[in-house]
């Protein structure tokens, strides 16, 4: 669907001579050329004396059929994407399009949101208000109401383009409505999932109505003639759904859409503590990982912003896991002392017993206490802050069967932590925190050798770029011959993964923000002092500071330095990683590879906002300072905006990146018992058409999408074709939100193929991708097998491209905190699927029998929106059929980091460098597809391979 607006000049007689003018030059200027453009959008030219009238011409164009060549089975065989399209010849559908062609989305189209507590949660939240007030401020909201306002306009009304008010009694409006000319727009599968889910969360007052309107969650009026339903929400035509790249799109009409999005609870801990039997092994790993030292060049802020962020986040995760173990041990000794003093059972277990007796929220919380018995090996001279322990079953997607499971697990885990004699002393934690603090600061305070700069043209924070010299470990001097600062990232779209051209900012900065959140939790004063600096990273990828007008929307005058939610496409439901397109642009549009890193980025934003709410609340309480109220409100909005972004990314990633094959009838849109699924909606609503679990053609038989484009879905990555890469890139990093990201049924379905691919290649373990496989092995119910194999992962795997954001501590923690599975995935009894160890037999009998793919099936052809017209290799970046000879060894100049930074690629993980073409400077784990002479469509027209002589660890 496309709407375009043109201006048709109206000839007028004028006695004066014609005058030349410059847009925005004369009266009416509202900001130079930009102001002139805005005024032209309102249909009047801005300029000198004549002030010519203009008349707007609006054209709305709709594609009535995707079948253009007659050969694509998805679009040309009556396919409806699984949602009841019974319009055989398309005539009814075309009539529908014509009937609604008069109304179009206007220039003020917007998406807004407001936050609220879910019905039934108010009492629980009120009970926790007192203890929350001192530690973390007011309880966070449980859900957001997302509203699309399409600014519906009619072409037929007088003065063309007037806004339609659906409840207006104006005769012209009635004439339009009687003709059926409401705005017609298409809802995608995740929209329909959300529409169907929304009534399950109860009535939600409209934020613009002071609670007096009907519940805004009701998205579908009962029928076209229902005059009593005044929700202003879209009606749908489910039998006109059309197949698209990402499943059926169904026509809805209405000037606004709204739905409820429940918000995830964000914490650094999982919903349960590590199982007791793994705690000694976890502590052994922690004793080594707590001493992890960030590489020297990253400590100076020299190098890329992606891997530097991953390594900072790695140390931050180790600190948080260590503090959780300290908290469990502290809890044990404090309770023992309370029992010695006649203090009863320690309070929290009593709380939990109450939960078993009928309290609504299975919530465990242990505040820090000055009291407590320390173990003899504790370093009393080191001062390291203690954080509260929090476990919350309500946020888990696969919790134990009941609250008793957690109540019984916690004492055992506490005892295991207390019995360990090897937990690192506080001095080790103090040292680790100092290393993390300085590692985060160098990127924020302007002292980095690779500085951040603000780009006023696009409103963004970009890395200046580093031409890294491997022999010196430094960036080449960025000062040009005139003594001016020169940023190589602006010239080289491949440098630092394209950061200077706005590629992957949320991937990069999410890791940095997570590390800052950890520091702020342990050092609130540091957090308060560096709030605005860290906020620059947040604002670049997710600034929420633009008022949507509703309660809880943040208010204020908006953020004039950064665009709101830079990467987020609220209509598509997910983010796009690509920034400013290369030249020539990719023919398949924008793309995003790692849906999981997008989720983790927004998780980090939410965790940082939460950390700062706590920091400012503590300052306000300690200093009796009401002046922090506005800062608390800002931090709370960052927290909740991060949660909303994470929630929408979770929904769409599960829908579009996590593939369910045809024949799997499980509803991918939410809980199986949701009241509005499968047509079982409340009597006041029409059943929302819920698309099937399988969205893709049966020819696509993989369980994951590697790279999602506007018009293409690929089973490969930017850095290689091995199946384990496509799976692994959708699973990192391993953090608390991963449990909500990875549905149990999906992980069970994808594990055999993932494990088979990993078994067949030693690279899977060498580059750290087997770390993700072991995490999934634990998720599908094989915790013991996963923990045993985790101890066999070579240390080098945690230093490579796939594993360097992780540590053995983080892997063991993740395995140890997976919920019990009633029916674990059955595996071969002799061997369990795990990453191929160097020198080991590459058999695949560790996975479900018969699940291994043949080698020739590993690289699947991409799904192409055009179907017949593209060969799939044109924009893919790599091709399994290319010989290594097409990428000869790189010249010494490139190897040493010269030649405009072409040598920055990691030698072990992605040694193939694109040396010419739109992807010049790009890194790949497999040889690039080198375009034939005269082929301007390919992304790479020359490549070379970095050899071992170029240095290790890059």
């Amino acid at each position: 669907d496309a709407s375009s607006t043109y201006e048709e000049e109206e000839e007028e007689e004028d006695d004066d001579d014609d005058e030349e003018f410059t847009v925005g030059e004369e009266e009416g200027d509202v900001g130079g050329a930009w102001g002139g453009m805005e005024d032209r959008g309102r249909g009047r030219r801005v300029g000198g004396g004549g002030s010519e009238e203009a008349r707007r011409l609006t054209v709305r164009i709709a594609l009535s059929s995707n079948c253009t060549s007659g050969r694509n089975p998805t679009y040309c065989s009556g396919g409806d994407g699984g949602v009841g399209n019974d319009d055989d010849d398309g005539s009814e559908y075309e009539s529908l399009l014509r009937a609604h062609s008069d109304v179009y989305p206007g220039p003020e189209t917007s998406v807004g949101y407001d936050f609220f507590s879910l019905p039934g949660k108010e009492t629980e939240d009120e009970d926790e208000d007192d203890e929350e007030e001192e530690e973390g401020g007011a309880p966070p909201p449980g859900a957001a109401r997302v509203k699309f306002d399409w600014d519906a306009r009619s072409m037929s009304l007088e003065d063309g383009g007037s806004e339609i008010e659906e409840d207006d009694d104006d005769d012209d409006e009635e004439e339009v409505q009687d003709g059926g000319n409401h705005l017609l727009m298409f809802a995608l599968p995740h929209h329909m999932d959300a529409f169907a889910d929304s009534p399950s969360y109860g009535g939600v007052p409209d934020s613009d109505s002071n609670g007096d309107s009907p519940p805004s969650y009701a998205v579908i009026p009962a029928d076209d003639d229902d005059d009593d339903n005044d929700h202003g929400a879209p009606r749908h035509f489910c039998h006109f759904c059309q197949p698209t790249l990402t499943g059926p799109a169904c026509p809805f009409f209405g000037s606004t859409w709204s739905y409820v999005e429940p918000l995830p609870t964000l914490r650094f801990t999982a919903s349960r503590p590590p199982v007791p039997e793994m705690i000694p092994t976890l502590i052994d790993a922690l004793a080594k990982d707590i001493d992890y030292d960030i590489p020297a060049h990253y400590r100076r802020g020299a190098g890329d912003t992606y891997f530097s962020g991953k390594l900072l986040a790695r140390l931050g995760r180790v600190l948080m896991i260590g503090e959780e173990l300290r908290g469990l041990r502290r809890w044990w000794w404090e309770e023992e002392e309370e029992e010695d003093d006649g203090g009863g059972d320690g309070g929290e277990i009593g709380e939990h017993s109450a939960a078993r007796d009928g309290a609504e929220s299975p919530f465990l919380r242990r505040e820090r206490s000055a009291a407590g018995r320390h173990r003899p090996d504790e370093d009393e001279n080191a001062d390291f802050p203690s954080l509260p322990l929090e476990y919350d079953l309500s946020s888990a997607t696969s919790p134990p069967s009941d609250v008793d499971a957690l109540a019984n697990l916690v004492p055992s885990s506490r005892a295991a932590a207390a019995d360990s004699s090897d937990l690192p002393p506080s001095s080790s934690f103090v040292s680790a925190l100092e290393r993390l603090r300085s590692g985060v600061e160098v990127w924020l305070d302007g002292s980095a050798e690779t500085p951040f700069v603000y780009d006023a043209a696009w409103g963004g924070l970009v890395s200046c770029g580093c031409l890294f010299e491997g022999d010196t470990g430094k960036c080449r001097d960025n000062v040009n011959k005139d003594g001016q600062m020169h940023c190589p990232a602006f010239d080289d779209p491949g440098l630092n993964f394209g950061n200077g051209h706005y590629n992957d900012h949320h991937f990069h900065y999410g890791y940095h923000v997570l590390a800052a959140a950890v520091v702020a939790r342990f050092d609130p004063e540091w957090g308060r002092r560096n709030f605005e600096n860290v906020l620059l990273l947040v604002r670049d990828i997710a600034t929420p500071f633009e008022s949507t007008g509703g309660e809880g929307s943040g208010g204020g005058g908006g953020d004039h330095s950064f665009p709101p939610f830079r990467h987020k496409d609220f209509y598509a439901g997910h983010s796009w990683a690509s920034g400013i397109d290369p030249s020539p642009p990719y023919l398949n549009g924008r793309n995003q590879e790692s849906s999981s890193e997008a989720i983790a980025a927004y998780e980090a934003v939410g965790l940082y906002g939460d950390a700062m709410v706590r920091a400012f609340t503590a300052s306000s309480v300690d200093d009796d300072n009401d002046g922090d109220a506005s800062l608390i409100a800002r931090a709370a909005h960052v927290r909740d905006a991060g949660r909303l972004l994470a929630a929408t990314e979770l929904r769409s990633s599960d829908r579009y990146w996590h593939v369910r094959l045809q024949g799997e009838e499980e509803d991918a849109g939410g809980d199986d018992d949701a009241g509005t699924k499968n047509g079982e909606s409340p009597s006041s609503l029409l059943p929302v058409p819920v698309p099937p679990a399988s969205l893709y053609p049966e020819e696509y038989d993989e369980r994951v999408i590697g790279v999602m484009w506007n018009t293409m879905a690929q089973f490969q990555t930017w850095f290689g074709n091995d199946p384990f890469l496509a799976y692994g890139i959708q699973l990192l990093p391993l953090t608390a939100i991963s449990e909500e990201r990875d549905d149990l049924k999906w992980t069970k379905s994808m594990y055999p193929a993932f494990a088979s691919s990993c078994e067949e290649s030693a690279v899977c373990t060498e580059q750290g991708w087997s770390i993700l496989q072991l995490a999934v092995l634990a998720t599908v119910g094989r915790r013991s097998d996963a923990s045993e194999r985790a101890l066999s992962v070579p240390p080098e795997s945690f230093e490579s491209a796939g594993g360097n954001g992780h540590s053995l501590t983080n892997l063991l923690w993740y395995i140890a905190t997976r919920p019990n599975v009633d029916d674990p995935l059955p595996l071969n009894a002799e061997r369990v699927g795990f990453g191929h160890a160097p020198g080991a037999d590459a058999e695949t009998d560790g996975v479900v029998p018969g699940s291994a793919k043949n080698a020739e099936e590993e690289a699947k052809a991409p799904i192409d929106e055009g179907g017949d017209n593209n060969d799939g290799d044109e924009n893919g970046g790599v091709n399994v059929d290319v010989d290594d000879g097409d990428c000869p060894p790189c010249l010494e100049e490139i190897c040493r980091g010269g030649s405009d930074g072409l040598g920055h690629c990691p030698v072990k993980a992605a040694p193939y460098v694109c040396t010419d073409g739109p992807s010049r400077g790009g890194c790949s784990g497999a040889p690039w597809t080198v375009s034939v002479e005269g082929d301007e469509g390919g992304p790479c027209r020359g490549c070379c391979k970095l050899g071992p002589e170029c240095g290790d660890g890059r």
Side-chain angles (χ1 to χ4, degrees):
D1 190 308
S3 297
S4 301
T5 300
Y6 304 88
E7 290 183 348
E8 179 182 342
E9 294 185 10
E10 194 171 272
E11 297 285 345
E12 290 189 341
E13 292 186 3
D14 195 330
D15 293 336
D16 297 333
D17 294 335
D18 291 339
E19 297 184 31
E20 295 182 359
F21 65 91
T22 302
V23 172
E25 179 182 274
E26 301 291 341
E27 183 179 354
D29 181 13
V30 291
W34 290 109
M37 292 174 69
E38 292 175 3
D39 278 3
R40 288 176 62 84
R42 290 195 292 270
R44 181 178 296 275
R45 298 192 67 168
V46 177
S51 184
E52 298 177 338
E53 292 294 331
R55 188 173 58 194
R56 176 180 298 170
L57 171 65
T58 301
V59 179
R60 194 171 196 209
I61 303 171
L63 184 66
S64 62
S65 173
N66 280 0
C67 179
T68 55
S69 66
R71 295 176 301 184
N72 189 311
T74 301
Y75 304 124
C76 301
S77 300
D80 61 0
V83 184
N85 185 342
D86 53 10
D87 182 19
D88 293 334
D89 62 2
S91 59
E92 291 185 54
Y93 176 58
E94 292 180 3
S95 297
L96 175 70
L97 296 178
R98 291 191 181 96
H100 291 266
S101 61
D102 178 69
V103 184
Y104 64 96
E108 302 300 323
T109 291
S110 64
V111 59
Y113 59 89
D114 52 83
F115 302 112
F116 57 88
S117 296
L118 287 171
K121 294 283 287 184
E122 291 85 352
T123 301
E124 171 195 329
D125 292 341
E126 290 170 3
D127 292 340
E128 295 170 6
D129 272 353
D130 292 340
E131 60 186 68
E132 288 276 2
E133 189 63 35
E134 291 191 11
E135 173 60 29
R145 174 176 171 269
V146 179
K147 181 178 180 180
F148 288 84
D149 184 343
W150 297 111
D151 184 35
R153 308 279 177 127
S154 170
M155 291 184 276
S156 63
L157 296 181
E158 186 177 358
D159 294 329
S162 297
E163 184 174 359
I164 292 178
E165 298 290 346
E166 292 199 352
D167 57 351
D168 197 336
D169 292 328
D170 182 88
D171 292 340
D172 286 334
E173 300 287 355
E174 286 295 329
E175 181 179 347
V176 172
Q177 292 189 7
D178 290 342
N181 289 321
H182 294 288
L183 175 66
L184 185 71
M185 298 294 287
F186 281 83
L188 302 177
H190 73 280
H191 297 136
M192 291 178 273
D193 292 337
F195 291 160
D197 281 341
S198 292
S200 302
Y201 300 103
V204 181
D206 192 316
S207 62
D208 299 327
S209 64
N210 298 318
D212 297 331
S213 72
S216 61
Y217 67 79
V219 297
I220 309 296
D223 56 61
D224 287 356
D225 299 322
D226 183 6
D227 295 331
D228 296 328
N229 193 317
D230 190 29
H231 304 318
R235 282 168 277 192
H236 68 85
F237 301 87
C238 61
H239 58 293
F240 290 120
C241 298
Q242 301 296 309
T244 71
L245 174 68
T246 52
C250 299
F252 282 66
F253 70 88
S255 61
T256 61
W257 295 358
S258 65
Y259 60 86
V260 173
E261 191 71 76
L263 302 179
T265 299
L266 300 182
R267 292 192 175 92
F268 287 101
T269 60
S271 297
R272 63 199 65 80
V275 292
E277 61 268 24
M278 285 191 63
I279 286 182
T281 304
L282 181 55
I283 289 177
D284 288 344
L286 175 67
K288 298 178 181 178
D289 287 332
I290 195 68
D291 293 326
Y292 174 74
D293 201 4
I294 300 166
H297 61 287
Y298 286 144
R299 293 201 304 270
R300 303 193 315 271
D304 70 278
T305 51
Y306 177 65
F307 287 113
S308 62
K310 290 180 72 174
L311 298 186
L312 289 170
R314 167 182 173 166
L315 182 55
R317 291 287 308 137
V318 169
L319 270 167
M320 277 300 183
I321 294 167
E323 173 55 21
E324 181 179 3
L325 294 171
R326 292 175 77 242
L328 286 168
R329 188 174 71 166
R330 190 166 56 244
W331 189 347
W332 173 264
W333 287 101
E334 288 172 1
E335 187 165 289
E336 287 292 295
E337 184 171 90
E338 289 171 3
E339 290 179 357
D340 292 344
D341 294 339
D345 62 4
E348 268 61 23
I349 292 300
E351 253 182 59
H352 218 66
S353 297
R356 293 197 301 273
D357 293 335
E360 293 184 5
S361 175
F363 181 77
L364 269 176
R365 180 187 182 92
R366 181 66 177 184
E367 296 289 352
R368 60 170 175 251
S369 172
R373 187 183 306 168
H374 295 283
R375 292 188 58 85
D377 61 332
E378 188 75 16
D379 184 354
E380 298 289 352
N381 296 320
D383 182 20
F384 190 75
S386 300
L387 303 181
L389 264 182
E390 300 172 338
Y391 298 117
D392 185 5
L393 283 180
S394 65
S395 66
T397 55
S398 302
S401 58
D402 54 32
V403 178
D404 287 312
L406 180 59
N408 294 329
L409 173 61
V410 170
S412 301
S413 297
R414 288 162 39 208
D419 289 341
S420 174
S421 60
D422 298 323
L423 193 65
S426 290
S427 57
S428 294
F429 287 85
V430 170
S431 176
L433 179 59
E434 177 54 36
R435 294 196 304 276
L436 181 62
R437 183 165 40 218
S438 61
V440 172
E441 275 186 2
V442 71
W443 296 95
L444 302 175
D445 62 10
S447 63
E449 293 180 22
T450 309
F452 283 118
V453 294
Y454 178 75
D455 172 25
W458 289 92
L461 193 70
V462 297
S463 171
C464 186
C466 172
L467 301 180
F468 192 78
E469 297 180 331
D471 53 349
T472 65
K474 297 181 178 181
C475 299
R476 189 188 307 167
D477 192 356
N478 287 344
V479 179
N480 64 21
K481 62 182 181 180
D482 297 324
Q484 301 296 317
M485 184 72 176
H486 173 70
C487 290
F490 295 171
D491 302 327
D492 186 348
L495 188 62
N496 192 14
F497 303 95
N499 181 282
H501 291 242
Y502 293 94
N503 285 349
D504 298 352
H505 276 205
H506 55 333
F507 297 162
H508 295 210
Y509 299 169
Y511 288 112
H512 286 263
V513 171
L514 180 71
V518 173
V519 178
R521 285 292 278 123
F522 287 114
D523 187 350
E525 174 55 35
W526 179 93
R528 292 188 290 269
R529 190 171 61 250
N530 288 275
F531 180 54
E532 295 298 336
N533 284 344
V534 178
L535 212 56
L536 288 173
L537 296 174
V538 173
R539 290 164 65 194
D540 181 83
I541 63 173
T543 182
F545 301 121
E546 182 173 29
S547 175
T548 57
E551 182 180 353
S553 63
D559 191 333
H560 301 295
S561 299
F562 297 89
F565 312 124
R566 182 185 305 279
H567 290 275
K568 190 71 166 187
D569 182 337
F570 267 95
Y571 178 76
H574 58 80
S575 299
W576 297 109
S578 51
I580 305 171
D581 283 333
S583 180
Y586 295 119
L587 299 183
N588 288 299
R590 305 186 72 187
N591 72 84
Q592 177 162 276
E593 185 177 54
S594 180
S595 62
S596 55
E597 286 185 295
I599 293 169
Y602 300 136
E603 175 194 30
V605 170
L607 287 171
Y608 178 70
D610 179 70
M612 294 313 302
V613 167
R614 296 171 187 260
F616 289 127
T617 300
S619 174
S620 179
V621 172
D622 293 344
D623 302 334
D624 193 22
N625 181 9
D626 294 335
D628 282 342
S630 63
L631 293 173
I632 294 173
R634 291 184 74 201
H637 196 51
V638 169
R639 175 197 64 197
D640 296 332
R643 296 170 68 208
L644 173 59
L645 292 170
T648 53
E649 205 78 19
L650 282 165
R651 181 185 292 277
S652 294
S653 295
D654 188 56
R655 246 320 187 179
Y656 304 126
W657 273 261
H658 298 176
V659 180
R660 280 85 174 171
L661 302 187
Q662 292 191 13
E664 297 175 350
E665 299 303 327
E666 177 206 3
D667 174 26
D671 297 335
D672 293 337
D673 58 353
T676 57
K677 294 293 191 293
N678 302 319
E680 300 177 5
S681 50
S683 59
S684 64
L685 307 178
L686 285 176
V688 176
V690 178
S694 174
L695 298 179
Y696 300 110
E698 61 182 8
E699 290 81 5
Y700 191 91
D701 59 358
E702 298 295 348
R703 301 290 183 148
V704 75
I705 298 296
V707 184
M708 180 70 74
W709 298 75
N710 285 116
T711 62
M712 181 171 69
Q714 292 176 297
F715 183 66
Q716 64 181 57
T717 68
W718 280 101
F719 48 91
N721 300 292
D722 290 301
F724 63 78
L725 297 175
Y727 285 104
I729 199 63
Q730 307 305 336
L731 296 167
L732 58 81
L734 299 174
T735 63
I737 205 171
S738 301
E739 185 169 327
E740 299 196 44
R741 180 192 71 203
D742 301 334
D743 172 77
L744 179 60
K745 291 185 179 181
W746 175 71
T747 52
K748 281 186 173 182
S749 72
M750 58 81 90
Y751 178 77
F754 186 13
S756 175
S757 172
C758 213
E759 289 280 341
E760 294 170 0
S761 174
V763 174
C764 184
T765 293
E766 292 171 356
Q767 293 188 359
W769 298 103
S770 63
I771 294 169
L772 289 314
Q773 184 216 336
L774 295 177
V776 178
L777 184 61
T779 300
V780 300
R782 297 291 177 174
R783 183 193 301 126
S784 177
D785 297 322
S787 61
E788 178 184 351
R789 288 299 167 188
L791 298 178
S792 300
V793 175
E796 295 79 11
S797 296
F798 296 101
E799 308 301 326
S800 60
N804 63 4
H806 299 291
S807 61
L808 181 59
T809 297
N810 193 68
L811 174 59
L812 291 171
W813 168 85
Y814 192 80
I815 293 171
T817 55
R818 294 310 87 206
N820 293 325
V821 177
D822 293 335
D823 54 339
L825 184 69
L827 302 175
N828 186 292
E830 296 181 2
R831 289 181 62 194
V832 178
F834 62 97
H836 182 92
D841 184 357
E843 296 179 7
T844 59
D845 57 350
V847 299
V848 177
S851 64
K853 302 290 183 183
N854 295 325
E856 63 269 22
E857 295 178 339
E858 290 184 354
K860 296 295 181 181
I863 302 174
D864 202 317
E865 185 77 84
D868 322 310
N869 301 321
N870 295 330
D871 60 14
D873 295 329
E874 185 173 84
N875 299 301
V878 291
N879 188 316
V880 294
D881 295 324
V882 176
D883 295 329
D884 283 345
D886 288 345
C887 291
C890 293
L891 299 176
E892 182 179 357
E893 180 184 5
I894 294 178
C895 179
R896 291 174 55 83
S899 189
D900 296 329
L902 291 178
H904 71 282
C905 295
V907 174
K908 291 182 178 180
Y912 295 96
V913 186
C914 179
T915 57
D916 187 26
S919 292
R920 183 177 183 275
C923 309
S924 174
W928 286 88
T929 297
V930 178
S931 304
V932 298
E933 186 175 357
D935 180 5
E936 297 296 329
C940 186
R941 294 191 286 271
C943 69
C944 67
K945 182 180 181 181
L946 297 171
E949 68 277 4
C950 293
D952 297 327
R954 286 196 292 128

